[in-house]
Amino acid sequence: MKFHAFLIKYAEIAIKGNNRKYFEDALVKQIRFHLRKVEGEFAVSKTQGRVYVEAAGDYDTDEVIEELQHVFGILWICPVVRVEDHGFKDLSEKVLRFMDEAYPDKHLSFKVECRRTRKNFELNSQEMNAELGHDILEAFPEMRVDVHHPDVLLRVEVREDFINIYSKEIRGQGGMPLGTSGKAMLLLSGGIDSPVAGYMISKRGVFIDAVYFHAPPYTSDRAKQKVVDLARIISRYTGPVRLHVINFTDIQLAIYEKCPHDELTIIMRRYMMKIAEKIALDSECECLVTGESIGQVASQTMQSLLCTNAACGSLPVYRPLIAFDKNDIVEISERIGTYETSILPYEDCCTIFVAKHPVTKPRLAVIEKSEEKLSDVIDGLMEEAFASDEVILCQ
Ligand code: ATP
Ligand code: MG
């Protein structure tokens, strides 16, 4: 069937009061950005409290829907047949044609739901429901009415300049439009969790940049490429990601050489946080984001998180997955398409310099004391780490 437009339904934007225009404009902008890759001519507009994508030329409905399903802020996507007002009889014929084409197998129950924003149409909404219901039953005797749980909810909306006919609502991502909530710096490793954390924070309307710490020659180019690939995959949702790749080898070696081995992971994580925080401030990000979840590993117990958290002085650290079970994280990563890449078995800098028996209840004062052993080298090493920053645009 040829659709003339896609009606975009959004959730929370509708409750934003005076800010509604700001959110709608951001949504329109994001939809335009996404559709620039799709063949066809698309006009995205706000009309009477609605966002529409009007489509012309040769285009593929599934491709448009697939693209719209990557736009945060969209709750439902409704492909719409649009007709002009030539009176009720004409409308009824068009509705019957719509039902016939949309549902070749007529063994279905249905309900008609009409709405008028233009009140001078010849029938009111109740009358239209009744008349159209009657006409459908007459034309397609296999169909039956079910007002409570219909298989097909047929909507007919008489608007100012046209009439919309639609019956399908396709689920979008939900969330808030990108660009409405500032920018975050994601600590992106090659694992399962951090790409999901990035996706989730971005879903609240937040742009993301990312930082990845690698440790050549202990970690390979393939491990780095995997992180680039993950950033590319999430960029389908989050928009372009500027990935900072930081050489962390010398800091890791220094920690390994000078600090107690059972504290390696915590101390390493704290320096990652410190470096990430500086890059975040330089990139005008308002927070850090990690894929940590309470209790998942030794470095993510409450006490470990307290120590890691304390490393950041200026920016808050958000952990969208903090209370998630691994299963649930895996489920999201499968849905957003990062899982297959995340499980590729390349080495990670955290797994190479790992202790056999890491502390699970570190005390901040003890950790800080251990870090004093680095005091004569760490400033120089941090400078070198910042200088190694390689920025890769992932999109
Ligand atoms: P993930 O699946 O995201 O790698 P994980 O369960 O392996 O998580 P850890 O290795 O303990 O957990 O890392 C916790 C968090 O610290 C990660 O989610 C990520 O945000 C950050 N992190 C860990 N290693 C790195 C790294 N090499 N570069 C950037 N961030 C990292
Ligand atoms: Mg990891």
Side-chain angles (χ1 to χ4, degrees), residues 250-296:
D250 289 342
I251 294 181
Q252 261 184 321
L253 289 174
I255 300 171
Y256 194 74
E257 190 188 318
K258 294 173 191 281
C259 301
H261 282 193
D262 59 347
E263 295 170 4
L264 286 180
T265 309
I266 297 292
I267 295 177
M268 193 179 73
R269 201 45 61 66
R270 279 167 54 83
Y271 281 105
M272 283 186 182
M273 289 300 210
K274 286 182 200 190
I275 294 171
E277 184 178 41
K278 170 144 189 325
I279 300 173
L281 289 166
D282 289 349
S283 318
E284 295 178 344
C285 295
E286 287 107 348
C287 64
L288 299 181
V289 174
T290 76
E292 290 159 312
S293 158
I294 292 175
Q296 205 185 77

Side-chain angles (χ1 to χ4, degrees), residues 186-195 211-214 269 272 289-292 296-297 299-300 326 348-350:
L186 169 69
L187 281 86
L188 182 61
S189 67
I192 294 170
D193 304 320
S194 46
V211 53
Y212 165 61
F213 297 91
H214 72 153
R269 201 45 61 66
M272 283 186 182
V289 174
T290 76
E292 290 159 312
Q296 205 185 77
V297 284
S299 59
Q300 297 176 33
K326 193 76 184 187
D348 178 70
C349 65
C350 309

Side-chain angles (χ1 to χ4, degrees), residues 4 16 36 68 73 79 95 100-101 106 121 139 160 171 208 224 254 263 271 280 285 312 315 362 392:
H4 305 103
K16 294 288 173 195
R36 79 200 188 290
L68 293 173
V95 165
D100 200 22
E101 279 185 41
K106 303 287 184 299
F121 190 71
E160 292 308 315
R171 196 86 158 93
I208 57 171
K224 173 176 150 188
E263 295 170 4
Y271 281 105
C285 295
C312 285
L315 292 180
I392 302 171

Side-chain angles (χ1 to χ4, degrees), residues 129-345:
N129 288 342
E131 290 295 320
L132 286 174
H134 170 266
D135 292 353
I136 291 170
L137 286 174
E138 202 170 68
F140 312 117
E142 309 93 305
M143 290 198 142
R144 64 197 163 77
V145 173
D146 181 343
V147 291
H148 299 296
H149 304 288
D151 299 323
V152 178
L153 179 59
L154 173 69
R155 295 175 207 253
V156 179
E157 299 177 345
V158 181
R159 315 285 297 183
E160 292 308 315
D161 305 321
F162 46 77
I163 301 172
N164 287 334
I165 306 171
Y166 64 98
S167 63
K168 293 208 168 104
E169 293 192 317
I170 298 142
R171 196 86 158 93
Q173 289 296 318
M176 303 296 290
L178 277 178
T180 55
S181 297
K183 192 159 81 164
M185 182 60 72
L186 169 69
L187 281 86
L188 182 61
S189 67
I192 294 170
D193 304 320
S194 46
V196 173
Y199 160 85
M200 286 185 62
I201 201 88
S202 185
K203 190 173 168 194
R204 297 306 301 169
V206 181
F207 280 124
I208 57 171
D209 280 350
V211 53
Y212 165 61
F213 297 91
H214 72 153
Y218 302 97
T219 62
S220 64
D221 272 350
R222 287 191 313 179
K224 173 176 150 188
Q225 185 57 43
K226 173 179 166 183
V227 177
V228 172
D229 292 344
L230 286 170
R232 281 218 180 99
I233 296 169
I234 58 171
S235 79
R236 261 233 54 206
Y237 301 91
T238 67
V241 176
R242 282 165 57 84
L243 174 67
H244 297 259
V245 179
I246 299 288
N247 187 327
F248 201 57
T249 311
D250 289 342
I251 294 181
Q252 261 184 321
L253 289 174
I255 300 171
Y256 194 74
E257 190 188 318
K258 294 173 191 281
C259 301
H261 282 193
D262 59 347
E263 295 170 4
L264 286 180
T265 309
I266 297 292
I267 295 177
M268 193 179 73
R269 201 45 61 66
R270 279 167 54 83
Y271 281 105
M272 283 186 182
M273 289 300 210
K274 286 182 200 190
I275 294 171
E277 184 178 41
K278 170 144 189 325
I279 300 173
L281 289 166
D282 289 349
S283 318
E284 295 178 344
C285 295
E286 287 107 348
C287 64
L288 299 181
V289 174
T290 76
E292 290 159 312
S293 158
I294 292 175
Q296 205 185 77
V297 284
S299 59
Q300 297 176 33
T301 62
M302 274 295 197
Q303 296 82 355
S304 300
L305 288 166
L306 185 154
C307 293
T308 314
N309 209 50
C312 285
S314 322
L315 292 180
V317 183
Y318 296 134
R319 302 174 169 89
L321 306 179
I322 197 70
F324 274 53
D325 291 352
K326 193 76 184 187
N327 287 346
D328 299 331
I329 301 170
V330 165
E331 217 170 88
I332 300 175
S333 79
E334 286 173 334
R335 181 166 63 72
I336 66 175
T338 51
Y339 184 73
E340 291 300 323
T341 305
S342 287
I343 58 171
L344 293 173

